[in-house]
Amino acid sequence: MCGIVGYIGKNPALPILFSGLERLEYRGYDSFGFCVLNNNKIDFLCKEKGKISDHCHLRDSKSVGTVGIAHTRWATTGLVTKENAHPHCDCKEEIFIVHNGIIENYKILKENLVKEGHKFISETDTEVLAHLIEKYFEGNLEQAVKLALREVRGTYGIAVVSPKYPNKMVAARMSSPLLIGVNSDEFIVASDPSAIITRTRQIIHLDDDEIAVLTPDNFVISKQERESSSWSVRTKKIETIEWNLEEAEKSGYKHFMMKEIMQEPSTIEDAIRGRLYFEGGNVKLGGFENVEDRLRDVSSLVLIGCGTANYACKVGEYMLEEYAGIPTETDIGSEFRYRKSLFSKNAAGIFVSQSGETADTLAALREMKEKGLLTLGVTNVVGSNQARETDAGVYTRSGPEIAVASTKAFIGQLTTLALITVYLGRQREMALVMGNRIIDEISKLPELAQEVLDTKEDIKRIVGKYIDYKDFWYIGRKYNYPIALEGALKLKEVSYVHAEGTAGGELKHGPLALIDENCPTIAICPSDSVYEKMISNIEEIKARNGKVIAIATKGNEDIKKIVDDVIYIPKTLEMLTPILSVIPLHLFSYYFADALGKDIDKPKNLAKSVTVE
Ligand code: M6R
């Protein structure tokens, strides 16, 4: 949510900031801005509404300054206006700041600053920070930032520059990701590695309460000790970004979403690589090694994630209860934290998130930690807040997911949850033969997923038949109930067409009132333990003249007699069917949105990682 880039070095900053912002745009894209300094002057200052990709001419603006900051915004506090776009500055235009996160006590701080004579031009919480730094600015930029940050409550990743100190940048972090890209003649501060990957793969992650002071040749990171409030210098490890530039590019695809759907088979392959242990009918999860004994004692689980990640949790709930025999419940982060949850002593939480930065999921995680319970992560982004804060975890290894709509990351989450089910199951009652059967089926999934993708032209043709419909229903049962929810979410998210998902059995408890010839249903009905029940539901729909597109198991010819269109998926174990049945739904949403000419990778009003509550 929002993206930050800051540059300090020996090269002109603007083109580097520009291409960094282009790569960050998926995190927020309703407005953007730059501030570049050249010696003691502001060399380039610009804020615009809209997407940076619609203002490419700015890249070639005359600017030679070698220090600068830039930001792409997803509005939280204040409307989408030029004034509310970052960077924000103080009254004297001596402090420029870009900020990700939210300053929760900004209203009271603003009231006080206004009383003290500060003039505000935006509605944002970020501008308060600029004026607060101004208040403490007595010739030492980092000292002023430190004093200002002492007064704020909330989350931030910030980069600050001042024309008074043109060879300096101050960056700080609290619960909002920030890293420094380290190169031979430059440093790049960014909220996401994709902003810097074209220039360097060497990065340092800032931690909470840390502040970095950068010059063109050097940087110093210090941390504020919570107890004493004193600052101590930190030596940080330089890490290497593991993925390639190609992974952050469209590589010939029209959209990232399509590229990422096409990567679904390799996502499964990456998630299981080196983790299947055939001799022992088990899986090896290095991330669980340190908590192996504690996991043996876990008596109940709560799975938490938001949006698509929450649907992965829901599938995980079915898997874990059926095969690991552990009482499991699922919740969404934003609800969990306001419940009076009652846990047994040996309960544990599994937090599922692509980004590892989703504020609601993190808040739920912290809530569970406070209760002293074991917290586990299923995370894609290495080094994210979630990955650092959970007691143990398993990376999904899905690689960068750039499209706002989550597709391959969901497949990675489902695969990882299947592995965790085997792991926990084998710690309990699961027999070796069952462990073997599951991992054998898991090992076949990449090939089976590819088979589904190979039917993409058929799916595109079916989309063509339904493109004029304005409402869709999705139904599924048991393992495929969450897939109905995911299918509906994906369609509305990228095509803005109304879609709802329901458990098949719930149709007659209300939604059936809306079913007629104008509202087609996508019924996920592989040949599994609830197939007959799904057929009854489909018949209820057909009796009301509703059209039905079925996702069915290859070889099921009978279904053609009942429904209007069929998309086939190969046979696999029931618990693994969601990993295959969701693929046609991802393709359906993609082709639907593409046929309607939507901005598929950056749907309106949305952003990639939701780092605010
Ligand atoms: O990064 P996370 O997995 O925690 O994100 C959770 C949701 O915000 C995310 O899955 C969202 O629902 C997607 N845009 C859905 O496609």
Side-chain angles (χ1 to χ4, degrees):
M1 206 151 231
C2 303
I4 288 180
V5 202
Y7 179 86
I8 185 158
K10 307 226 164 25
N11 302 294
L14 184 63
I16 297 164
L17 294 174
F18 196 95
S19 69
L21 271 203
E22 277 184 316
R23 286 173 187 283
L24 286 186
E25 204 170 55
Y26 74 105
R27 301 186 68 101
Y29 34 81
D30 51 42
S31 53
F32 64 88
F34 298 88
C35 172
V36 178
L37 305 178
N38 184 15
N39 296 319
N40 293 95
K41 291 209 178 67
I42 299 164
D43 192 35
F44 183 72
L45 184 60
C46 152
K47 298 194 203 192
E48 291 292 347
K49 269 170 69 173
K51 300 191 177 80
I52 187 161
S53 36
D54 297 332
H55 294 82
C56 287
H57 61 280
L58 291 174
R59 184 203 301 269
D60 306 318
S61 306
K62 262 200 180 153
S63 168
V64 290
T66 56
V67 177
I69 52 177
H71 186 266
T72 174
R73 179 170 187 248
W74 185 86
T76 49
T77 311
L79 297 172
V80 179
T81 62
K82 222 168 159 167
E83 290 72 31
N84 288 340
H86 301 212
H88 288 285
C89 69
D90 63 327
C91 304
K92 299 187 211 123
E93 299 197 348
E94 286 181 347
I95 314 281
F96 287 84
I97 180 168
V98 287
H99 165 225
N100 276 3
I102 245 173
I103 306 302
E104 285 161 7
N105 57 339
Y106 84 100
K107 283 200 177 129
I108 180 80
L109 291 171
K110 187 168 178 175
E111 258 173 52
N112 293 337
L113 286 161
V114 168
K115 276 187 207 145
E116 288 165 22
H118 291 262
K119 300 264 180 291
F120 284 79
I121 55 163
S122 81
E123 303 157 311
T124 64
D125 51 336
T126 305
E127 194 185 355
V128 170
L129 263 180
H131 290 273
L132 208 54
I133 297 170
E134 175 185 25
K135 174 175 163 178
Y136 291 111
F137 192 35
E138 289 174 355
N140 184 331
L141 187 61
E142 62 261 39
Q143 187 58 16
V145 173
K146 284 177 182 172
L147 292 172
L149 291 180
R150 257 188 3 193
E151 291 196 26
V152 305
R153 251 194 359 259
T155 59
Y156 53 79
I158 55 168
V160 186
V161 293
S162 165
K164 285 200 118 185
Y165 296 93
N167 285 322
K168 190 175 271 187
M169 179 181 302
V170 180
R173 165 198 157 121
M174 172 61 79
S175 294
S176 186
L178 205 60
L179 54 90
I180 303 172
V182 180
N183 217 351
S184 51
D185 57 351
E186 62 194 11
F187 301 111
I188 310 166
V189 171
S191 49
D192 181 324
S194 52
I196 62 160
I197 183 104
T198 50
R199 301 199 66 88
T200 178
R201 304 171 71 79
Q202 306 298 299
I203 56 167
I204 291 171
H205 284 282
L206 283 192
D207 284 309
D208 283 353
D209 293 314
E210 285 186 347
I211 192 165
V213 181
L214 303 108
T215 65
D217 313 300
N218 200 2
F219 66 89
V220 177
I221 297 174
S222 42
K223 183 176 176 84
Q224 182 162 40
E225 304 307 334
R226 292 245 163 114
E227 305 294 292
S228 60
S229 294
S230 60
W231 292 84
S232 55
V233 173
R234 312 277 289 180
T235 312
K236 304 276 295 189
K237 202 172 112 210
I238 298 189
E239 295 169 44
T240 305
I241 302 174
E242 297 294 345
W243 40 272
N244 299 318
L245 177 59
E246 206 195 38
E247 292 187 56
E249 309 212 303
K250 283 190 202 146
S251 316
Y253 287 95
K254 189 170 169 194
H255 297 101
F256 278 110
M257 184 176 174
M258 189 53 163
K259 177 186 171 194
E260 288 158 6
I261 294 172
M262 296 312 281
Q263 287 176 325
E264 290 181 341
S266 61
T267 303
I268 305 171
E269 230 160 61
D270 291 340
I272 63 179
R273 181 166 301 116
R275 287 174 168 168
L276 305 185
Y277 171 40
F278 288 95
E279 299 78 52
N282 208 338
V283 299
K284 288 184 190 160
L285 299 175
F288 277 178
E289 260 166 28
N290 292 339
V291 291
E292 199 181 332
D293 290 336
R294 280 183 83 185
L295 285 172
R296 240 179 262 283
D297 292 336
V298 164
S299 57
S300 66
L301 285 166
V302 53
L303 267 60
I304 293 172
C306 299
T308 287
N310 177 258
Y311 303 146
C313 292
K314 193 85 196 130
V315 175
E317 178 183 330
Y318 285 102
M319 292 177 176
L320 286 156
E321 291 206 322
E322 185 164 359
Y323 288 96
I326 305 174
T328 304
E329 62 167 314
T330 297
D331 207 349
I332 43 180
S334 54
E335 284 301 314
F336 175 81
R337 55 188 306 203
Y338 298 110
R339 267 172 62 189
K340 183 171 167 26
S341 309
L342 303 171
F343 295 110
S344 56
K345 190 170 125 251
N346 290 331
I350 302 186
F351 299 84
V352 178
S353 172
Q354 187 285 128
S355 61
E357 302 295 349
T358 299
D360 288 323
T361 309
L362 285 173
L365 158 61
R366 288 168 190 154
E367 186 94 10
M368 264 201 105
K369 276 193 92 149
E370 244 170 53
K371 293 190 162 80
L373 298 165
L374 179 65
T375 59
L376 310 164
V378 172
T379 318
N380 188 31
V381 176
V382 176
S384 56
N385 268 321
Q386 179 172 294
R388 289 147 184 250
E389 291 183 30
T390 38
D391 296 310
V394 184
Y395 282 118
T396 57
R397 307 174 177 162
S398 309
E401 188 180 65
I402 310 290
V404 165
S406 191
T407 54
K408 67 169 180 171
F410 181 65
I411 295 280
Q413 290 162 351
L414 295 181
T415 310
T416 308
L417 286 165
L419 298 178
I420 292 175
T421 301
V422 175
Y423 182 96
L424 295 177
R426 293 289 288 132
Q427 278 191 330
R428 292 165 174 74
E429 310 271 300
M430 186 189 286
L432 178 120
V433 50
M434 178 54 82
N436 251 325
R437 170 126 195 261
I438 299 175
I439 61 170
D440 189 43
E441 290 293 331
I442 291 178
S443 71
K444 294 180 194 151
L445 285 173
E447 208 178 305
L448 302 186
Q450 187 55 51
E451 251 185 66
V452 183
L453 288 180
D454 292 343
T455 64
K456 66 180 195 308
E457 287 308 317
D458 296 334
I459 297 170
K460 192 174 177 181
R461 185 182 46 74
I462 294 173
V463 164
K465 278 176 72 178
Y466 291 86
I467 196 70
D468 293 326
Y469 288 89
K470 306 282 178 251
D471 301 283
F472 282 84
W473 221 272
Y474 286 70
I475 56 167
R477 279 175 172 248
K478 203 175 168 187
Y479 284 102
N480 283 295
Y481 159 43
I483 300 308
L485 304 180
E486 163 65 2
L489 173 69
K490 213 93 305 168
L491 186 65
K492 58 188 151 202
E493 191 176 14
V494 294
S495 69
Y496 318 151
V497 165
H498 172 238
E500 290 196 44
T502 321
E506 276 293 292
L507 264 188
K508 55 188 171 299
H509 297 290
L512 210 48
L514 290 173
I515 300 293
D516 60 18
E517 65 281 10
N518 299 315
C519 180
T521 299
I522 301 192
I524 308 142
C525 51
S527 307
D528 60 9
S529 65
V530 287
Y531 177 72
E532 299 299 332
K533 301 279 171 203
M534 279 298 295
I535 293 300
S536 305
N537 298 141
I538 291 172
E539 275 161 357
E540 286 160 10
I541 295 166
K542 292 310 296 176
R544 273 123 192 126
N545 287 327
K547 296 212 172 311
V548 176
I549 307 169
I551 311 292
T553 303
K554 218 164 140 186
N556 178 358
E557 292 299 317
D558 287 348
I559 193 137
K560 284 187 180 158
K561 296 180 202 143
I562 331 174
V563 303
D564 299 272
D565 290 282
V566 189
I567 300 169
Y568 285 111
I569 57 168
K571 179 135 194 72
T572 181
L573 269 189
E574 180 172 10
M575 72 174 267
L576 302 175
T577 52
I579 300 176
L580 300 180
S581 64
V582 77
I583 299 175
L585 303 188
H586 286 165
L587 285 167
F588 188 88
S589 304
Y590 174 82
Y591 285 129
F592 211 99
D594 195 35
L596 295 179
K598 301 297 180 205
D599 191 352
I600 294 182
D601 288 336
K602 295 170 193 155
K604 71 172 176 340
N605 302 340
L606 301 179
K608 186 66 184 163
S609 59
V610 186
T611 53
V612 292
E613 256 187 74

